[in-house]
Amino acid sequence: MFSRNTISVWSILKKCIGLELSKITMPIAFNEPLSFLQRITEYMEHTYLINRACSLSDSIERMQAVAAFAVSAVASQWDRTGKPFNPLLGETYELTREDQGFRLVSEQVSHHPPVSAFHAESLTGDFVFHGSIYPKLKFWGKSVEAEPKGTITLELLNHSEAYTWSNPYCCVHNIILGKLWIEQYGTVEIVNHSTGDKCVLNFKPCGMFGKELHKVEGYIQDKNKKKCCVIYGKWTECMWSVDPQAYETHKKSEKKENKKQKNEEPEGAESDADDMPEVQETVSVIPGSTLLWRIDSRPAHSAVMYNFTNFAMSLNELEPGMEANLAPTDCRFRPDIRAMENGDMDQASIEKERLEEKQRAARKERAKNDEEWSTRWFQQGTNPYTSSQDWIYSGGYFSRNYQDLPDIY
């Protein structure tokens, strides 16, 4: 990892308060050596949860597995304070994981606004998982907030079911001063469009004394709005499910405990940095709970490697024989990301500037000739479940016909 301590962030950011950051060129030291297309591939790290959902016969149990998957999909963001590289228009990424039973393809389908579309499918035909993400980044003085616009759809084909949801907000604190830390907050609603079941997950903001840091709480209700179970845990750790009755009883006894402690609360000290709260004791498990998901521990050297998980570390790997197979637009061929991964920051910076300049020149050329950009693997359409605009995979990527792809690198 490259140290960011030598850079005056403030000199760059003071012009940007309240603005959207997609239009501002940030120094490469803020990046991590992955493209945003690779970053969204990390949703698939816990694919076993989708496979579990496929195997369950009860719709509420399936929703529990899907809810655990939705939480696990953002778990890799914990401590990941580097910004992924903005994909170039037409950039693609593919990943096939036989061990996890899926393959995925993604494409940068729009540059302004930046939209990344992805499509993953089970190798055995059990599920399809797809969506388009349009992250809006805003700078608020001490923090950067990402609003994850875009819908995610999971279809369990054997059950003829479709689930949709959007990710929570993500905020990186202490951009200027102090230790960078991340929180996710907001309400995530997962809807099963076939049964009418719904899961509402509340990613809690950290609160005054950090008591709520990383916490996620919610419930699953059936189509008659009957609460079937409560789901709780931390997005950085684990998720549990419990009967609503047991949950209420536990909450009441907890309140009594808290009243006792109320008088011993320390006063919050003011400082310029939004100190990351000490991570409180891990999740206290309510008797009778069922474990839905637990995070894998990170590799020992993760802290000096951009806090990557094992899964993330493998994403930019170019194994022998891959080059002949991959589309020439695949992120693994991006020279700026490759140079950064190799630790050559000066070269990475030069390449990043060259690629952005090349992209601008191509855009000017198209404007001069009145040409529209045309996407290759995804077409704009309507999501049949939410009726909102979406980017739908038009197929054909894996037949490996890569003629007429744009020269973006």
Side-chain angles (χ1 to χ4, degrees):
M1 219 164 112
F2 178 84
S3 162
R4 299 190 182 102
N5 300 344
T6 50
I7 295 148
S8 164
V9 188
W10 184 236
S11 62
I12 302 148
L13 287 181
K14 61 186 173 197
K15 311 179 196 76
C16 321
I17 292 185
L19 296 179
E20 232 194 285
L21 288 189
S22 61
K23 308 219 168 38
I24 292 137
T25 305
M26 303 292 265
I28 204 158
F30 288 110
N31 286 26
E32 59 174 27
L34 286 180
S35 163
F36 185 69
L37 292 181
Q38 291 164 311
R39 185 79 177 253
I40 55 181
T41 305
E42 293 184 54
Y43 291 169
M44 302 304 292
E45 184 162 350
H46 305 95
T47 303
Y48 72 88
L49 292 165
I50 304 183
N51 293 326
R52 181 193 297 165
C54 292
S55 71
L56 294 165
S57 56
D58 180 78
S59 74
I60 296 298
E61 286 182 11
R62 287 197 293 277
M63 179 63 95
Q64 289 180 357
V66 172
F69 175 73
V71 174
S72 79
V74 297
S76 67
Q77 300 198 21
W78 174 46
D79 264 356
R80 291 277 287 283
T81 50
K83 173 186 165 303
F85 281 70
N86 292 338
L88 300 162
L89 188 57
E91 185 172 308
T92 61
Y93 183 70
E94 68 162 276
L95 183 68
T96 301
R97 288 288 297 256
E98 312 247 332
D99 57 331
Q100 290 181 281
F102 76 86
R103 65 183 188 182
L104 171 142
V105 58
S106 56
E107 178 182 3
Q108 190 68 4
V109 289
S110 166
H111 186 59
H112 284 308
V115 181
S116 310
F118 69 91
H119 174 93
E121 56 195 29
S122 155
L123 295 174
T124 49
D126 291 338
F127 69 81
V128 181
F129 176 59
H130 55 95
S132 44
I133 308 289
Y134 158 22
K136 280 189 102 160
L137 297 179
K138 281 207 170 153
F139 172 56
W140 295 114
K142 287 197 245 182
S143 60
V144 168
E145 180 182 69
E147 179 188 353
K149 287 184 163 300
T151 302
I152 295 171
T153 304
L154 171 64
E155 299 178 47
L156 305 184
L157 303 176
N158 299 346
H159 298 285
S160 306
E161 282 182 343
Y163 300 79
T164 60
W165 68 91
S166 291
N167 282 330
Y169 282 76
C170 179
C171 187
V172 181
H173 291 270
N174 293 344
I175 297 293
I176 312 298
L177 187 76
K179 183 180 170 358
L180 290 167
W181 60 279
I182 283 181
E183 70 172 327
Q184 311 231 25
Y185 46 85
T187 303
V188 171
E189 233 178 62
I190 306 169
V191 178
N192 179 335
H193 293 271
S194 316
T195 60
D197 298 340
K198 187 195 272 188
C199 176
V200 179
L201 293 172
N202 182 14
F203 284 71
K204 302 198 164 192
C206 104
M208 263 302 274
F209 299 105
K211 281 215 167 69
E212 305 289 300
L213 185 67
H214 302 154
K215 275 193 184 172
V216 183
E217 271 186 9
Y219 56 87
I220 294 174
Q221 63 178 37
D222 64 18
K223 62 171 183 293
N224 305 319
K225 298 200 165 43
K226 175 179 176 281
K227 260 190 204 178
C228 303
C229 61
V230 169
I231 292 184
Y232 66 95
K234 291 186 176 179
W235 60 267
T236 50
E237 241 176 88
C238 56
M239 292 303 292
W240 297 80
S241 163
V242 72
D243 175 74
Q245 229 21 72
Y247 179 79
E248 287 309 322
T249 311
H250 179 80
K251 271 283 172 245
K252 278 178 189 149
S253 66
E254 221 178 34
K255 265 192 186 140
K256 279 183 192 157
E257 275 300 298
N258 287 350
K259 266 191 184 151
K260 274 189 207 162
Q261 290 169 16
K262 241 318 184 276
N263 311 325
E264 302 151 33
E265 224 35 298
E267 281 301 304
E270 275 298 305
S271 82
D272 281 341
D274 295 328
D275 286 335
M276 173 172 173
E278 284 304 306
V279 175
Q280 305 285 319
E281 85 313 328
T282 53
V283 178
S284 64
V285 180
I286 301 166
S289 297
T290 308
L291 180 67
L292 299 177
W293 160 76
R294 188 181 291 288
I295 200 165
D296 291 331
S297 53
R298 295 197 176 174
H301 45 296
S302 173
V304 293
M305 292 199 166
Y306 299 92
N307 292 312
F308 280 7
T309 61
N310 277 319
F311 187 87
M313 281 190 194
S314 69
L315 291 175
N316 207 39
E317 199 63 26
L318 253 182
E319 289 169 8
M322 273 170 91
E323 292 185 37
N325 246 343
L326 290 174
T329 47
D330 195 283
C331 315
R332 294 174 184 88
F333 296 130
R334 260 188 83 154
D336 50 355
I337 295 179
R338 185 62 61 193
M340 186 179 192
E341 184 176 309
N342 296 336
D344 188 342
M345 297 303 278
D346 292 340
Q347 185 59 27
S349 222
I350 291 164
E351 284 292 355
K352 180 170 176 277
E353 215 157 286
R354 180 185 69 78
L355 292 176
E356 286 166 358
E357 196 39 62
K358 183 170 179 169
Q359 181 167 249
R360 277 192 287 272
R363 191 166 64 234
K364 275 187 190 143
E365 192 57 32
R366 283 196 304 278
K368 208 165 76 184
N369 302 326
D370 257 354
E371 280 174 34
E372 283 290 309
W373 173 263
S374 66
T375 52
R376 183 60 192 270
W377 311 111
F378 291 81
Q379 301 302 324
Q380 209 161 13
T382 304
N383 183 308
Y385 309 106
T386 61
S387 303
S388 56
Q389 277 289 293
D390 208 345
W391 287 86
I392 314 291
Y393 176 54
S394 43
Y397 177 87
F398 291 100
S399 50
R400 310 266 170 220
N401 170 15
Y402 298 142
Q403 265 135 30
D404 309 325
L405 285 183
D407 166 22
I408 55 176
Y409 303 141

